């Protein structure tokens, strides 16, 4: 399995594979679930703003 563990100054995120998912798939799925939860809590405009900010940081 390709579990993913991410430690930051503010959070600990663990993604545990249920089957034989690749690490790449798990990272993408985790991002999808995080933005879905952010959208649920703060609304679609806030989610778009966060995605735009991330695009600015990582999309260049």
């Amino acid at each position: 399995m390709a579990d993913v563990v991410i430690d930051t100054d503010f959070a600990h995120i663990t993604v545990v594979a249920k089957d034989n998912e690749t690490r790449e798939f798990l990272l993408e799925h985790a991002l999808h679930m995080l933005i879905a939860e952010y959208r649920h809590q703060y609304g679609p405009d806030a989610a778009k703003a966060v995605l735009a900010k991330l695009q600015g940081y990582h999309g260049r």
Side-chain angles (χ1 to χ4, degrees):
M1 290 191 188
D3 297 344
V4 176
V5 177
I6 301 167
D7 279 310
T8 73
D9 292 342
F10 308 107
H12 178 84
I13 300 168
T14 303
V15 180
V16 179
K18 291 183 179 179
D19 203 0
N20 290 321
E21 293 90 354
T22 65
R23 182 175 175 81
E24 180 182 4
F25 174 83
L26 291 173
L27 283 169
E28 185 175 333
H29 181 67
L31 284 169
H32 172 76
M33 297 282 71
L34 285 169
I35 198 63
E37 182 60 26
Y38 195 92
R39 180 184 174 144
H40 174 74
Q41 289 190 27
Y42 301 107
D45 290 339
K48 287 178 188 176
V50 165
L51 288 171
K53 188 185 294 186
L54 291 173
Q55 178 68 25
Y57 291 150
H58 301 289
R60 295 182 183 169

